Amino acid sequence: MSAVVKWWSRAAAAVTGVVLTLVVPVHAWAASNGVADVAIEAARYRRRRSGFGFFGILGGVCCLVVVGAIVLIVILIARRRKK
């Protein structure tokens, strides 16, 4: 098995674990909390707004920071294993 395949399988396992760690509890909370009703009401009541606004930009920056941190951690782990 080549080093790329080993690295890819480890990265896929780590990403799968992180996704399941975050998604499963959030889904259970949303299913039991009445959030579905709130989401349906929010979808029915749509305001016309232009652009993403401040919170949309802030959310995008936060997402980029999280993705960058994950990539940095994977790179640091890969470099440490080579030494």
Side-chain angles (χ1 to χ4, degrees):
M1 197 190 276
S2 72
V4 174
V5 174
K6 284 183 183 179
W7 182 86
W8 181 255
S9 63
R10 289 178 183 150
V15 169
T16 302
V18 168
V19 167
L20 289 177
T21 300
L22 296 174
V23 169
V24 171
V26 168
H27 176 61
W29 172 79
S32 66
N33 232 3
V35 175
D37 299 330
V38 174
I40 291 171
E41 289 297 321
R44 287 183 184 162
Y45 177 72
R46 297 177 69 173
R47 294 183 296 181
R48 297 278 181 195
R49 294 185 348 185
S50 61
F52 292 106
F54 177 72
F55 292 111
I57 293 171
L58 186 64
V61 170
C62 180
C63 181
L64 288 176
V65 167
V66 169
V67 170
I70 292 171
V71 169
L72 182 65
I73 290 169
V74 169
I75 289 172
L76 290 174
I77 291 172
R79 284 187 181 177
R80 186 173 293 168
R81 287 185 181 263
K82 288 182 183 179
K83 293 180 180 179

